[in-house]
Amino acid sequence: MSLIQRIDALLPQTQCGKCGHAGCRPYAQGLAAGEAINKCPPGGAETIAALARLLETPIIDLDPSRGSAPPQVAYIREAECIGCTKCIQACPVDAIVGAAKLMHTVIASECTGCDLCLAPCPVDCIDLLPLPDTLIPIVGGLAQTPLQQAARTQRRDHARRRHEQRNARLQRDEARRQAERLARNQRPVGPTAGNSDAAPDPIKAAIERVKAQKAASSDAALKQAKIAAAMSRAQLSKARSAFGNAPSEAQLEQLRHLEEAAEQAQRRLDALLAEPGHVSA
């Protein structure tokens, strides 16, 4: 193996980006070029020591500014999910399944606990939970026996392959989009040879553009209404949990305001869903 491959084999393959790179492989490339060995919280002291041995450099403490990375797994509170797909787009190993306007869920056995799905979620419906005992920890410091280390290596290799497959898919999708844009730009404008009477009707084209703009505006309004309703419900739920069973007068007043806001947001959403052409999702 090349030096970069040997370095990459020592990294935990969470693809979390806490090292400042877009994944473990880019960090391996940086390490091969002389970058500091203490930027990987998921690897921790174990990975630092392994990198120090491989690169023949002194062991140093983990950089505290990189944060922490305990063994964890993402969990989506599905009743609050609005189907925006932002978490799906952020997951580096395709561990989240779902579709636009439909509920999403996390495949726990594929999740690396990178926490990259938290920030994009507009309704804050994702939690990071402790890794179940049934799953093999991918982070450093938890594999003690040769059998545990072999199982962890296997899971890391699997996570690396999923990340590579995702990157390849994204590249294919981008290449296809560029080809489609190029084809549209090269498409002849006006009547084609042998069909001189096929020129588009400008009035009809203008009407179609107005219809498309109205449809796009309606879809955008519906999306915003769904987000507003979900956020209102989430805020109300959090407030009820925080205030407990015996809220004060001030807290009761705050709860009333939150309840009114949630009801108003839901009425707005219901009104939009009731419009012709919309189907409740």
Side-chain angles (χ1 to χ4, degrees):
M1 292 192 296
S2 68
L3 178 59
I4 292 174
Q5 289 174 318
R6 292 163 66 193
I7 294 172
D8 189 45
L10 298 176
L11 298 178
Q13 304 306 315
T14 57
Q15 317 300 343
C16 64
K18 288 182 170 64
C19 59
H21 293 275
C24 294
R25 177 78 176 195
Y27 182 39
Q29 294 169 339
L31 287 166
E35 197 166 331
I37 64 174
N38 66 337
K39 297 181 178 181
C40 178
E46 177 186 320
T47 295
I48 291 174
L51 291 171
R53 286 193 298 270
L54 175 63
L55 301 174
E56 298 180 351
T57 187
I59 294 176
I60 54 178
D61 292 334
L62 179 68
D63 181 356
S65 68
R66 303 289 168 177
S68 61
Q72 58 192 5
V73 65
Y75 171 76
I76 296 175
R77 299 193 300 278
E78 296 171 354
E80 300 172 32
C81 175
I82 61 172
C84 70
T85 76
K86 293 184 182 298
C87 61
I88 294 177
Q89 298 169 42
C91 180
V93 292
D94 284 340
I96 303 176
V97 294
K101 300 181 182 180
L102 297 175
M103 178 194 74
H104 304 342
T105 192
V106 177
I107 306 173
S109 60
E110 304 292 356
C111 177
T112 65
C114 67
D115 76 26
L116 292 176
C117 57
L118 295 186
C121 179
V123 293
D124 191 24
C125 70
I126 304 178
D127 298 318
L128 285 175
L129 305 179
L131 193 73
D133 294 337
T134 54
L135 296 180
I136 300 166
I138 200 170
V139 299
L142 298 176
Q144 309 301 330
T145 67
L147 186 61
Q148 292 172 340
Q149 291 170 357
R152 184 184 65 186
T153 297
Q154 184 176 11
R155 185 165 182 231
R156 287 180 173 181
D157 290 342
H158 179 71
R160 182 189 296 107
R161 287 193 297 273
R162 286 186 69 88
H163 182 58
E164 291 171 347
Q165 290 166 357
R166 175 182 183 271
N167 287 342
R169 173 176 57 79
L170 293 178
Q171 290 173 0
R172 289 194 303 271
D173 290 346
E174 180 58 26
R176 175 180 52 78
R177 284 192 292 268
Q178 290 182 0
E180 290 173 350
R181 283 195 293 267
L182 182 61
R184 286 195 299 269
N185 292 337
Q186 293 178 343
R187 191 174 299 158
V189 178
T192 58
N195 191 22
S196 59
D197 60 344
D201 183 346
I203 296 177
K204 184 177 180 180
I207 293 174
E208 291 300 324
R209 284 197 298 271
V210 170
K211 288 182 178 179
Q213 290 171 355
K214 286 184 177 180
S217 176
S218 177
D219 287 343
L222 179 60
K223 183 177 181 180
Q224 290 298 322
K226 286 183 176 181
I227 293 174
M231 291 184 70
S232 297
R233 291 195 302 269
Q235 291 172 353
L236 178 59
S237 177
K238 286 182 179 180
R240 285 171 173 166
S241 299
F243 296 160
N245 296 326
S248 65
E249 274 300 320
Q251 291 172 338
L252 285 172
E253 183 65 22
Q254 186 175 349
L255 283 173
R256 280 193 288 270
H257 285 304
L258 290 173
E259 288 169 352
E260 291 174 1
E263 291 173 359
Q264 184 176 4
Q266 187 60 45
R267 284 196 298 271
R268 169 64 176 163
L269 175 58
D270 292 341
L272 289 174
L273 289 172
E275 292 180 357
H278 283 311
V279 179
S280 178

